[in-house]
Amino acid sequence: MNGDTLFSIGDLARRTGLTVKTVRFYSDAGIVPPTDRTPSGYRLYGTSAVARLDLVRTLRELGLDLATIRRVVDREVPLPEVAAAHAEALDVQIRVLRLRRAVLTAVAQRGSTPEELDLMHKLAKLSAAERGRLIDDFLGTVFDGLRTHPAFAAVVRSMTPQLPDDPDPEQVTAWVELAELFQDEDFRATMRQMAGQLADDRTPESASAVPRVLAETVRAQVVPALAAGIDPASPQAEPAVTAISAHYARILDRPDDMDLRGLLADRLHSMDDPRRDQYLRLLAVINGWPAPESLAPALQWSVRALRAGLPRERRAPDVHRTR
């Protein structure tokens, strides 16, 4: 054909490193059509077939299907467009594989049962939208009617888990535990009660304050007392108790008296739920935050100290939560 070099299937196979069978398959599929034929009917190919086969082999190694490859080599679709779409699909596959790897690693580390593996797999493979609905359902219950409250907007954000696209086994395990906690109806009710109490404690003047400030005040005042080994029922506990109750009195805009201290003791006791600490610990793992320090010892010390100063008939039993 006008002096152009022509190659047999065998020649193409040797030049491209493909097998004769593979070259014939691509030819039969119309991806590398013959340029001519010998008098005996054998197929012959031009020099462009070598480059075409090299491109086909590369695209196949990258995972593209034959129909798409044919459209690319025939210039029916731009290669950059196909590459971008395929790269996006591979990103999804990679995320799925990484998630599966993390689940299996977590199962191996925990020694999970088949039932636990099934639950972990179901919860871990939820899409971002499905995870979002699960989270919104929980936070919607806890902060029902409060999410637009200026004091709670930041709190809701700080309680929202964000599982990364490439979670490690610890994050997968934490997400599964948190998802199970979301569905604990008693925990949901307890958290809802805490949020409602904190909202009730907001006066118009303090409405923009972050509700967590009470817990932070307890931590700041009580942790040093705990470190010093001060008995909550001793006179040495009074400075910390006074500071906490004075702060709470400012929040409520009412006198710091026995009634207020009794109410504060009840508030702090209701906050002392180990599942709250568990939630914050799991949240930190998922979001990659520093591990939070448990507030339970400070809450329990504060409750005992506050109730120690109340008249005997007004002291509630000093019972700690054990859930």
Side-chain angles (χ1 to χ4, degrees), residues 7 17-18 30 37 46 65 72 84 108 111 135 151 193 222 226 256 259 265 270 294 318 320:
F7 304 102
L18 298 171
R37 287 183 180 269
D65 60 272
V72 170
I135 295 166
Q193 181 184 26
V222 175
L226 279 168
D256 179 6
D259 287 338
S270 70
S294 173
D318 188 18
H320 302 317

Side-chain angles (χ1 to χ4, degrees), residues 229-245:
I230 295 175
D231 186 336
S234 69
Q236 288 75 24
E238 185 55 32
V241 171
T242 298
I244 297 169
S245 60

Side-chain angles (χ1 to χ4, degrees), residues 16-247:
T16 60
L18 298 171
T19 66
V20 170
K21 183 178 180 180
T22 300
V23 175
R24 183 176 291 112
F25 173 77
Y26 289 145
S27 182
D28 290 343
I31 295 175
V32 185
T35 303
D36 200 357
R37 287 183 180 269
T38 68
S40 302
Y42 291 103
R43 286 173 277 200
L44 295 173
Y45 302 86
T47 54
S48 63
V50 177
R52 196 173 177 104
L53 278 172
D54 284 338
L55 175 59
V56 170
R57 179 172 58 184
T58 299
L59 294 176
R60 283 296 286 164
E61 289 175 350
L62 290 172
L64 269 69
D65 60 272
L66 289 178
T68 300
I69 290 174
R70 180 170 183 172
R71 296 178 66 201
V72 170
V73 297
D74 287 343
R75 301 182 184 277
E76 294 178 10
V77 292
L79 178 57
E81 179 183 316
V82 172
H86 196 61
E88 184 177 344
L90 285 175
D91 283 340
V92 173
Q93 293 178 32
I94 289 169
R95 286 197 294 270
V96 170
L97 289 174
R98 285 174 172 168
L99 190 57
R100 289 177 181 172
R101 181 191 63 191
V103 169
L104 292 172
T105 302
V107 168
Q109 292 174 347
R110 296 179 65 186
S112 301
T113 65
E115 292 75 19
E116 290 172 330
L117 169 60
D118 183 56
L119 176 62
M120 288 184 69
H121 180 60
K122 288 178 180 177
L123 292 175
K125 74 176 183 179
L126 293 177
S127 67
E130 290 169 330
R131 289 197 301 271
R133 285 193 290 272
L134 187 62
I135 295 166
D136 285 345
D137 177 65
F138 172 76
L139 294 177
T141 297
V142 172
F143 296 104
D144 183 27
L146 302 173
R147 299 188 76 164
T148 58
H149 193 295
F152 286 88
V155 176
V156 172
R157 288 195 299 272
S158 71
M159 291 182 65
T160 302
Q162 299 285 346
L163 186 68
D165 289 336
D166 185 15
D168 58 35
E170 187 180 13
Q171 288 173 312
V172 169
T173 301
W175 162 250
V176 171
E177 291 183 21
L178 193 63
E180 291 178 292
L181 203 54
F182 284 159
Q183 300 169 72
D184 183 334
E185 292 298 334
D186 184 65
F187 177 64
R188 291 161 72 103
T190 298
M191 292 295 287
R192 167 62 190 154
Q193 181 184 26
M194 289 184 195
Q197 289 174 343
L198 290 169
D200 290 343
D201 288 347
R202 301 294 96 188
T203 63
E205 292 75 18
S206 65
S208 61
V210 178
R212 197 170 51 185
V213 72
L214 176 60
E216 292 172 350
T217 300
V218 169
R219 192 189 303 276
Q221 296 295 330
V222 175
V223 169
L226 279 168
I230 295 175
D231 186 336
S234 69
Q236 288 75 24
E238 185 55 32
V241 171
T242 298
I244 297 169
S245 60
H247 178 82

